[in-house]
């Protein structure tokens, strides 16, 4: 499972091989400084793969309450069809300390209480009907929000500078559909290339593109709202057109109220 284990170097204590091996295998100071300004969430990896009767969480790094947790081996969690929505979560446990180690561990669970608590991090959610197959082969950007039998990553928090951001799966799906449509708008082109190349994007970058493209007011939007409005941008692209959604032919701006 995800864990955070750090050796305790104190004057007068015996230096043990395991303590040096830990220091060798995890260059702690570097990564702690590098990700210091990042929010809690998934930093890298932790991709969820759907198996026949289990969800497989692949190796990755997550951040919780300022600590980095590392998953080095894939973990399988059994799931079943209940017709009710459940969330796959990392549940962080209280830390333990002995003479040599400070240890923070976690477990991966499926919980029908969807909202993550302060000690949890969501990896995905789903609602599976009996006799149906759980899938993650999305047929388009809108399919990411399909209610039944589909892995939903819209609520997953990815770590980023200052604010958590959206899953790269959402952004890549948006970019792939935008490329198929072939928008002629320079904003679409630049944002699409960023989505394809950057992996995760800062939340403010996504919001700036979305609100500018649609002529909307700037405020905080939830992940679900961002997905909806990005879908609206895709709906307005007709291929090769450079028209700007949310703008009239004369150039005046209209605000979309939802």
């Amino acid at each position: 499972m995800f864990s955070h284990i750090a050796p305790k170097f104190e004057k007068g204590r015996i230096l043990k091989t395991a303590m040096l091996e830990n220091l060798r295998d995890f260059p702690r100071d570097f990564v702690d400084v590098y990700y210091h300004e990042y929010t809690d969430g998934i930093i890298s990896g932790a991709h969820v793969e759907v198996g026949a009767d289990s969800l497989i969480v692949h190796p990755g790094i997550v951040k919780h309450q300022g600590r980095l947790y590392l998953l080095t081996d894939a973990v399988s969690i059994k799931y079943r069809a209940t017709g009710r929505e459940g969330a796959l979560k990392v549940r962080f446990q209280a830390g333990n300390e002995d003479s040599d180690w400070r240890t923070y561990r976690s477990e991966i669970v499926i919980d029908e209480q969807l909202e993550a608590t302060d000690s949890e991090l969501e990896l995905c959610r789903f609602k599976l009907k009996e006799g149906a197959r759980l899938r993650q082969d999305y047929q388009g950007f809108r399919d990411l929000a399909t209610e039944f039998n589909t892995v939903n990553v819209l609520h997953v928090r990815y770590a980023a500078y200052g604010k958590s951001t959206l899953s790269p799966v959402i952004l890549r799906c948006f970019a792939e559909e935008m490329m198929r449509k072939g928008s002629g708008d320079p904003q679409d082109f630049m944002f699409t290339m960023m989505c394809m190349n950057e992996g995760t994007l800062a939340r403010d970058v996504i919001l700036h593109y979305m609100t500018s493209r649609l002529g909307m007011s700037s405020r905080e939007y939830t992940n679900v709202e961002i997905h909806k409005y990005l879908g609206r941008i895709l709906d307005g692209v007709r291929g090769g057109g450079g028209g700007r959604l949310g703008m009239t032919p004369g150039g005046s701006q209209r605000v979309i109220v939802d």
Side-chain angles (χ1 to χ4, degrees):
M1 296 298 176
F2 290 98
S3 61
H4 177 94
I5 304 175
K8 292 169 61 178
F9 297 107
E10 297 176 353
K11 186 176 180 179
R13 294 200 54 80
I14 296 175
L15 184 62
K16 299 180 179 179
T17 301
M19 298 165 71
L20 293 176
E21 289 175 342
N22 177 273
L23 191 64
R24 176 202 65 193
D25 294 337
F26 197 90
R28 192 171 314 280
D29 289 343
F30 173 80
V31 294
D32 283 347
V33 171
Y34 189 87
Y35 292 112
H36 177 69
E37 301 293 337
Y38 277 53
T39 60
D40 286 354
I42 298 173
I43 287 179
S44 179
H47 169 68
V48 178
E49 177 186 352
V50 176
D53 61 354
S54 62
L55 295 172
I56 304 165
V57 183
H58 287 273
I61 304 171
V62 302
K63 186 174 182 180
H64 175 69
Q65 293 185 352
R67 302 184 188 93
L68 297 179
Y69 289 73
L70 182 65
L71 179 68
T72 57
D73 298 306
V75 175
S76 295
I77 305 295
K78 295 285 187 181
Y79 67 84
R80 59 191 181 89
T82 64
R84 299 185 298 274
E85 196 166 20
L88 180 69
K89 301 177 180 178
V90 182
R91 182 169 292 159
F92 300 94
Q93 301 169 353
N96 294 313
E97 182 173 344
D98 58 27
S99 59
D100 294 325
W101 306 97
R102 295 186 185 95
T103 303
Y104 298 85
R105 300 192 183 277
S106 66
E107 59 179 339
I108 300 176
V109 300
I110 294 177
D111 189 1
E112 290 188 1
Q113 178 63 42
L114 298 179
E115 295 303 318
T117 67
D118 291 340
S119 62
E120 295 175 334
L121 174 67
E122 181 176 331
L123 300 177
C124 71
R125 63 179 62 178
F126 62 94
K127 185 189 290 188
L128 182 62
K129 291 182 177 179
E130 187 173 355
R133 178 182 65 87
L134 188 61
R135 65 184 185 89
Q136 57 186 160
D137 52 336
Y138 306 110
Q139 302 305 302
F141 187 72
R142 294 282 189 183
D143 196 24
L144 289 164
T146 298
E147 181 179 4
F148 286 99
N149 313 323
T150 306
V151 173
N152 185 324
V153 296
L154 297 184
H155 304 269
V156 179
R157 288 187 299 149
Y158 268 73
Y161 182 85
K163 299 177 183 177
S164 64
T165 190
L166 279 68
S167 166
V169 173
I170 301 172
L171 300 177
R172 180 168 289 273
C173 192
F174 173 87
E176 289 173 349
E177 189 160 328
M178 182 65 78
M179 287 193 297
R180 287 195 299 270
K181 287 176 174 286
S183 170
D185 191 311
Q187 289 186 92
D188 294 341
F189 176 80
M190 293 189 64
F191 185 73
T192 296
M193 293 302 101
M194 293 176 69
C195 290
M196 294 298 291
N197 291 328
E198 298 294 330
T200 57
L201 283 183
R203 191 178 196 88
D204 285 345
V205 171
I206 301 170
L207 292 176
H208 178 76
Y209 165 74
M210 182 187 80
T211 56
S212 174
R213 189 68 169 81
L214 291 172
M216 299 167 61
S217 59
S218 295
R219 63 171 177 84
E220 289 300 320
Y221 293 86
T222 66
N223 287 9
V224 173
E225 289 174 325
I226 292 172
H227 173 261
K228 179 178 68 175
Y229 289 123
L230 289 178
R232 184 170 295 179
I233 292 173
L234 288 172
D235 291 343
V237 174
R238 294 293 179 263
R244 181 180 176 187
L245 296 182
M247 301 294 288
T248 63
S252 60
Q253 188 172 6
R254 62 184 177 88
V255 177
I256 297 174
V257 179
D258 200 330

